[in-house]
Amino acid sequence: MTLRFFLRAIFLSLAMALSAPVLAQSGADPKPLIDALAKADFSEAERLIGEIAATGDARAVPTLEAFSEGDLYVRKADGLVFIGKAGEDGLDLIEPITGVSAGKTLKSALTKIKINNNLRRVISSAAGGLTLLSPDRSVRLAAANAVLSSPSAENLDLVETALAKETDPEVKARMTEARAVSVLSSDRSVDEKRDAIRTIKTIGGNDALSILSAVSGSIDASLKGDLDAALAALQSKQKLWDMAQNVWYGLSLGSVLLLAAIGLAITFGVMGIINMAHGEMVMLGAYSTFMVQDLIRDHAPSLFDWSLAIALPVAFLVTGAVGLVIERAVIRFLYGRPLETLLATWGVSLILQQTIRSIFGPTNQEVGNPSWMSGSFPVGGMTITWNRMWIIVFSLTIFFTLLVVMKKSAYGLSMRAVTQNRRMASSMGIRTPWVDALTFALGSGIAGIAGVALSQIDNVSPNLGQSYIIDSFMVVVFGGVGNLWGTLVGALSLGVLNKFLEPSVGAVLGKILVLVLIILFIQKRPRGLFALKGRAVEA
Amino acid sequence: MISGFIFRALEGKIIVAIAMLLGIAALVPALNLLTAPDSALHIPTYAMSLFGKYLCYALLALALDLVWGYCGILSLGHGAFFALGGYAMGMYLMRQIGPRGVYGNPVLPDFMVFLNYKELPWFWYGMDWFVVAIAMVLLVPGLLAFVFGWFAFRSRVNGVYLSIITQAMTYALMLAFFRNDMGFGGNNGLTDFKDILGFQVQADGTRAVLFALSAIVLALCLLISSAIVRSKFGKVLVGVRDAESRVRFLGFRVENIKLFTFVVSAMMAGIAGALFVPQVGIINPGEFAPANSIEIVVWTAVGGRGTLIGPIIGAVLVNAGKSFFTGAFPEFWLYALGSLFIFVTLFLPRGIVGTVQHGFKAREAMKAATDAENGRADVGTVAQTVQAAE
């Protein structure tokens, strides 16, 4: 059977506290016990199952499962018990314990052993205990973890038996912890419990904290001091980890802001266009991802894990091209009139939104996560999800790539020249209209790439862009217009600030406070965190 | 002499506009109430309410024009002042419901009973008096504008930065008013009004009065704006718009000039909101949405910023277009609005009224030039006229 079944069985077993009186007499043969099931009534069967579990023989597990599923039969001829699986004609019989096939029989030659829900519970708990002794390492580890997460005194003997036999260091460590947890809820001696508290303390994290605080009410007075000390130590450690987790969440939010704002840092920050259609570029990027995934699903499902890598250049080209058209058709007439670019690009954004709505409909489109972006892994006392992790990596990569393009390439040089002094650049032979068009296309293209990443964590709908536009402007203005580093620092610090305000005041109020703080900050430094110096910026 | 003539003509136009508004204020309700429903002259109530809504929007656009068109402050947060005025009126109307709500609580409005409020939040006290409510309609937007402007103008936040932080302001307010804990009805806002000053809100007569009031208040605000703009102060205002540093160097306190205009404008927006709410019967946090504030900008731009009549015409035209399109081709409205934004900024930067006015001035200038050629006017006036045209 699968690992999943064992896990489920274990959880069930531990949830039902009163189940399976486990006796510590292992080594007996479960076969006669199983045969005895043939004549047992429900209460007798319950006792027998307990005894089977007490043998500690993991080979009995498939039989117990078959019993639970109603696949256990008695052969009328000799009164022996078999597992019956439905075959082509009649039933395929399998011998318990050995698992050897015992030929086919018609259903009429067999009597089914009756089962009820109470027995099913007893069985699942027994099977759970038995898995601690399973020959499969991963099954034992899972069983130990399950005991750890819901301890009960009944399992103690079994855990100790398993621990004595265990050789694998990792499983052994986990079982030691599991034993300590079980000891605390048993009636063992005070010294043993003190050791147990020490062991649990080393586990650390919220698990240890909740185990210890759960027993704090019922524990001996003589252990109170030890317990409280352990709790305090764990709590202070946990506080640090919570802080780290908050910083992580903040960085994660900050990287999302950075992604959304980075294209705007070019179109607004560098070119001075109040690009209200920026959010729609992000949206177009997200829809490009959707289209790419749609095509891959239909034509090459095996490539699905590569869909984001394929979507990146597609999104860049699509949004870059749209940006180029917008620049040539509308924005080039409006240089030097920033407030009017605001109106015109807002108009563009309405048209783009409605276009997408007309084509794809107003509902959310489903964009899938490739396998390498789902799941999470623990670091100390915090959990890190892969998609957040990749988005941070991704946004920083884009940022630094862009920085290199701006600072080191010939194109970046002419771009900076045009934005600093258009006429001078023009007289030096730079084709300023082309630089303008390409810069706007670059900013739009980067917004599109951001859309690919944001499609992984947000709903892909025609309104996707709207939710990012104000935040993006806040980041750019806060960081300082025309300064890419400012955008980076602005995005990350706003993200972290937001996440630190959230636990105390709530998400919405936290966001409001951040907005108010930005408004106040702008009063203090009207040109943002990293203002460009010099007379050129003074309008 | 000729410039004086132009001014007199302009002044005449304002008087004509005011007279027309007053005429509308008298005529439309009269046609609604006094004519038979099947008469050709009859104006149905829904049409009157709709037009009354446009008049509120027109007032809002006029308020924005005062700061944007004459003072160069592009506020993307005027929707917030409008909504605050609306909420103040809404609170009064909520208190007037009294025990007639679904839960029948004589003091607490329905949503508060629903949200388990035990007593009225302090800021709802006194809102059952009309006078207090009207005071709040003026004071709350005015105070917000004052505090906001005080900080912003003093530290010389201007241009794009100001636009963006005003947008942040209305966005923050929207998020705040969406919260149930704020005590303003959260998501659903305030609605289900019954009475205003003892008259039924839904009744034809009340609606007619509200319509007339909207037109009269709009006329009044037009007069005030015109007085501000035409005064010496108004000249400085335009100076601030066109060359802020120069005006500052001449010794004017630019921040105070801006602050005064901003506060007056916010109050007008608040009044517009207060007139709007009883006519549409609801106010909710959606009114704070940044997109709404941007839409106001486009009404003003379409009509012509820097003219007083322009925003009124722009607001009425765009909103009439909106009502038509959203009814007839709902898919098409955003395309139309988006194209309007682009078209106006690219081809009609002066707006409708501004372009017409500019055309008149250009013709005057041409005539003056021809006159000068024929030796009938002195060179000075010609130069003046040409300059005015430019």
Side-chain angles (χ1 to χ4, degrees):
Chain A
M1 281 278 154
T2 57
L3 178 64
R4 189 178 294 252
F5 180 83
F6 284 118
L7 275 173
R8 205 183 62 199
I10 290 161
F11 276 117
L12 274 171
S13 80
L14 297 169
M16 306 302 145
L18 273 177
S19 59
V22 179
L23 305 173
Q25 41 147 229
S26 56
D29 184 11
K31 183 74 167 74
L33 295 170
I34 290 173
D35 281 336
L37 281 173
K39 291 190 204 78
D41 60 1
F42 284 142
S43 61
E44 173 70 3
E46 189 174 335
R47 194 183 60 79
L48 285 169
I49 292 165
E51 282 180 29
I52 293 170
T55 63
D57 194 335
R59 291 175 304 166
V61 172
T63 313
L64 289 178
E65 277 160 11
F67 188 16
S68 163
E69 280 157 28
D71 287 339
L72 209 57
Y73 296 90
V74 181
R75 192 152 67 192
K76 283 175 184 165
D78 51 10
L80 289 177
V81 175
F82 291 95
I83 301 167
K85 295 275 175 220
E88 283 189 6
D89 38 20
L91 289 163
D92 295 333
L93 291 187
I94 301 165
E95 261 185 46
I97 309 294
T98 57
V100 178
S101 172
K104 286 179 182 167
T105 317
L106 286 176
K107 222 171 176 176
S108 56
L110 298 168
T111 320
K112 189 169 163 179
I113 302 180
K114 286 193 181 112
I115 178 89
N116 65 5
N117 275 341
N118 179 43
L119 274 186
R120 281 199 186 92
R121 276 198 294 270
V122 175
I123 287 171
S124 68
S125 117
L130 284 174
T131 50
L132 271 175
L133 298 161
S134 159
D136 188 345
R137 179 185 168 279
S138 58
V139 174
R140 290 200 307 275
L141 193 62
N145 276 329
V147 175
L148 200 56
S149 60
S150 56
S152 84
E154 274 89 27
N155 284 321
L156 184 53
D157 292 328
L158 199 59
V159 173
E160 283 182 335
T161 318
L163 188 58
K165 286 184 189 162
E166 190 56 61
T167 51
D168 186 287
E170 191 190 344
V171 181
K172 194 160 187 159
R174 199 50 47 83
M175 280 188 180
T176 315
E177 291 166 6
R179 181 186 163 272
V181 170
S182 305
V183 163
L184 273 190
S185 44
S186 72
D187 44 8
R188 295 290 174 92
S189 73
V190 170
D191 283 342
E192 227 173 308
K193 284 191 176 177
R194 189 168 294 137
D195 281 346
I197 291 176
R198 217 163 290 146
T199 314
I200 294 168
K201 207 179 115 185
T202 58
I203 307 174
N206 275 327
D207 295 342
L209 210 55
S210 58
I211 291 167
L212 287 183
S213 41
V215 295
S216 73
S218 58
I219 204 148
D220 290 9
S222 57
L223 280 173
K224 202 80 183 158
D226 290 81
L227 189 70
D228 288 346
L231 274 176
L234 279 173
Q235 267 160 353
S236 67
K237 205 166 178 187
Q238 192 56 35
K239 211 170 256 173
L240 276 180
W241 277 116
D242 283 348
M243 189 100 103
Q245 179 90 64
N246 256 345
V247 171
W248 171 257
Y249 284 148
L251 288 181
S252 157
L253 176 66
S255 68
V256 171
L257 290 176
L258 179 64
L259 266 179
I262 207 163
L264 196 69
I266 297 178
T267 50
F268 173 53
V270 177
M271 300 181 77
I273 298 161
I274 310 183
N275 185 10
M276 296 304 267
H278 172 74
E280 276 55 46
M281 296 298 165
V282 175
M283 175 197 71
L284 285 183
Y287 271 91
S288 307
T289 317
F290 167 70
M291 290 293 285
V292 167
Q293 287 201 344
D294 215 35
L295 285 176
I296 285 179
R297 273 201 200 98
D298 286 353
H299 299 292
S302 58
L303 281 176
F304 193 75
D305 271 356
W306 290 93
S307 60
L308 292 192
I310 300 169
L312 281 182
V314 173
F316 184 81
L317 290 177
V318 167
T319 51
V322 173
L324 195 68
V325 171
I326 294 173
E327 202 277 344
R328 283 292 91 186
V330 178
I331 290 169
R332 69 175 164 134
F333 303 108
L334 299 172
Y335 284 112
R337 288 148 68 192
L339 293 180
E340 292 180 13
T341 60
L342 184 155
L343 293 181
T345 50
W346 180 258
V348 170
S349 86
L350 291 181
I351 293 175
L352 287 176
Q353 265 179 49
Q354 186 59 41
T355 310
I356 291 295
R357 202 171 284 134
S358 303
I359 298 173
F360 295 96
T363 49
N364 291 344
Q365 301 294 341
E366 196 201 325
V367 172
N369 287 31
S371 58
W372 47 272
M373 279 197 81
S374 38
S376 62
F377 62 97
V379 172
M382 60 191 213
T383 325
I384 288 175
T385 50
W386 277 109
N387 60 359
R388 293 289 173 166
M389 171 83 200
W390 282 119
I391 282 178
I392 292 186
V393 171
F394 184 66
S395 60
L396 290 178
T397 313
I398 292 185
F399 176 81
F400 286 108
T401 313
L402 185 66
L403 205 64
V404 170
V405 168
M406 295 276 284
K407 298 276 182 201
K408 302 286 178 202
S409 73
Y411 162 68
L413 183 68
S414 50
M415 191 166 106
R416 282 179 294 139
V418 169
T419 48
Q420 274 169 28
N421 193 329
R422 177 173 299 271
R423 290 172 66 190
M424 185 71 84
S426 175
S427 50
M428 290 293 171
I430 294 172
R431 293 177 66 179
T432 54
W434 272 114
V435 172
D436 287 334
L438 286 181
T439 312
F440 193 80
L442 176 71
S444 305
I446 286 178
I449 291 183
V452 176
L454 295 181
S455 73
Q456 293 296 308
I457 54 168
D458 206 344
N459 296 328
V460 178
S461 75
N463 301 328
L464 171 77
Q466 296 255 297
S467 46
Y468 286 105
I469 186 73
I470 291 184
D471 288 334
S472 308
F473 270 106
M474 288 304 129
V475 167
V476 177
V477 167
F478 176 70
V481 171
N483 190 324
L484 282 181
W485 283 107
T487 306
L488 176 72
V489 176
L492 294 185
S493 50
L494 286 185
V496 173
L497 180 66
N498 222 324
K499 285 296 168 188
F500 268 86
L501 284 173
E502 249 175 43
S504 47
V505 297
V508 180
L509 207 57
K511 191 156 188 187
I512 296 169
L513 279 179
V514 169
L515 285 173
V516 172
L517 283 178
I518 293 176
I519 292 176
L520 290 177
F521 178 82
I522 295 294
Q523 319 295 338
K524 193 76 196 149
R525 295 191 66 129
R527 304 274 163 204
L529 214 49
F530 296 92
L532 287 181
K533 294 196 172 62
R535 279 171 292 179
V537 286
E538 203 59 53
Chain B
M1 258 175 3
I2 296 171
S3 65
F5 170 71
I6 291 170
F7 268 119
R8 272 200 298 281
L10 264 179
E11 216 156 63
K13 267 187 214 157
I14 290 292
I15 284 173
V16 170
I18 289 172
M20 273 173 73
L21 281 172
L22 294 178
I24 288 172
L27 200 63
V28 173
L31 287 179
N32 172 249
L33 292 177
L34 302 180
T35 56
D38 50 355
S39 145
L41 290 172
H42 180 72
I43 294 177
T45 308
Y46 80 86
M48 188 177 66
S49 283
L50 197 64
F51 198 61
K53 204 172 90 175
Y54 297 163
L55 289 180
C56 298
Y57 286 148
L59 180 52
L60 181 56
L62 178 68
L64 181 73
D65 184 47
L66 201 59
V67 281
W68 184 35
Y70 288 94
C71 195
I73 305 166
L74 177 51
S75 162
L76 295 183
H78 255 54
F81 303 128
F82 179 77
L84 284 174
Y87 263 99
M89 181 53 93
M91 285 161 86
Y92 164 75
L93 293 171
M94 283 310 265
R95 294 297 306 271
Q96 292 307 301
I97 297 174
R100 282 167 296 174
V102 178
Y103 295 104
N105 190 312
V107 179
L108 296 185
D110 274 351
F111 75 86
M112 289 193 191
V113 181
F114 182 71
L115 292 173
N116 269 328
Y117 277 70
K118 292 285 165 274
E119 55 184 29
L120 214 56
W122 60 269
F123 44 81
W124 279 75
Y125 282 114
M127 291 307 278
D128 46 344
W129 290 326
F130 190 69
V131 184
V132 176
I134 291 300
M136 286 300 150
V137 164
L138 292 170
L139 279 181
V140 174
L143 199 67
L144 177 66
F146 183 80
V147 172
F148 192 90
W150 173 276
F151 284 116
F153 301 139
R154 203 144 289 258
S155 42
R156 299 192 191 167
V157 179
N158 49 25
V160 177
Y161 293 87
L162 192 82
S163 303
I164 288 172
I165 62 169
T166 49
Q167 191 174 37
M169 175 191 78
T170 189
Y171 185 58
L173 280 169
M174 179 179 81
L175 292 178
F177 273 75
F178 265 122
R179 301 176 67 235
N180 281 336
D181 305 347
M182 276 289 281
F184 292 105
N187 229 340
N188 302 322
L190 310 175
T191 187
D192 213 11
F193 307 131
K194 305 269 193 270
D195 286 354
I196 180 166
L197 285 173
F199 300 99
Q200 274 196 328
V201 172
Q202 300 291 337
D204 279 4
T206 320
R207 286 176 170 274
V209 172
L210 281 170
F211 177 89
L213 214 59
S214 303
I216 293 168
V217 170
L218 178 59
L220 203 67
C221 287
L222 187 60
L223 192 71
I224 294 170
S225 307
S226 172
I228 292 176
V229 169
R230 301 268 163 77
S231 66
K232 245 183 202 167
F233 178 84
K235 300 272 180 280
V236 183
L237 208 57
V238 174
V240 171
R241 176 189 75 187
D242 292 338
E244 187 178 328
S245 303
R246 272 192 229 182
V247 175
R248 186 173 282 126
F249 296 150
L250 286 173
F252 290 98
R253 297 293 296 270
V254 170
E255 56 273 16
N256 291 353
I257 294 168
K258 282 182 168 179
L259 190 58
F260 173 79
T261 321
F262 197 55
V263 171
V264 169
S265 166
M267 284 175 162
M268 279 190 193
I271 298 172
L275 286 167
F276 175 80
V277 168
Q279 296 191 67
V280 297
I282 184 168
I283 175 83
N284 60 26
E287 294 295 334
F288 284 104
N292 279 13
S293 294
I294 296 180
E295 218 171 290
I296 305 168
V297 174
V298 97
W299 305 335
T300 312
V302 167
R305 68 184 140 123
T307 68
L308 289 174
I309 304 168
I312 297 174
I313 293 177
V316 172
L317 279 184
V318 175
N319 281 297
K322 183 177 190 168
S323 300
F324 170 71
F325 274 120
T326 46
F329 319 95
E331 291 251 315
F332 197 68
W333 165 240
L334 279 184
Y335 288 123
L337 187 65
S339 315
L340 188 68
F341 271 96
I342 298 171
F343 177 82
V344 168
T345 40
L346 285 185
F347 303 108
L348 215 62
R350 291 171 217 270
I352 297 169
V353 174
T355 306
V356 171
Q357 242 171 38
H358 181 74
F360 273 129
K361 282 182 193 167
R363 218 175 55 192
E364 293 292 345
M366 211 132 82
K367 216 164 89 189
T370 338
D371 286 354
E373 250 167 48
N374 302 338
R376 268 180 295 189
D378 60 305
V379 183
T381 30
V382 175
Q384 240 175 19
T385 328
V386 171
Q387 208 173 17
E390 280 160 2

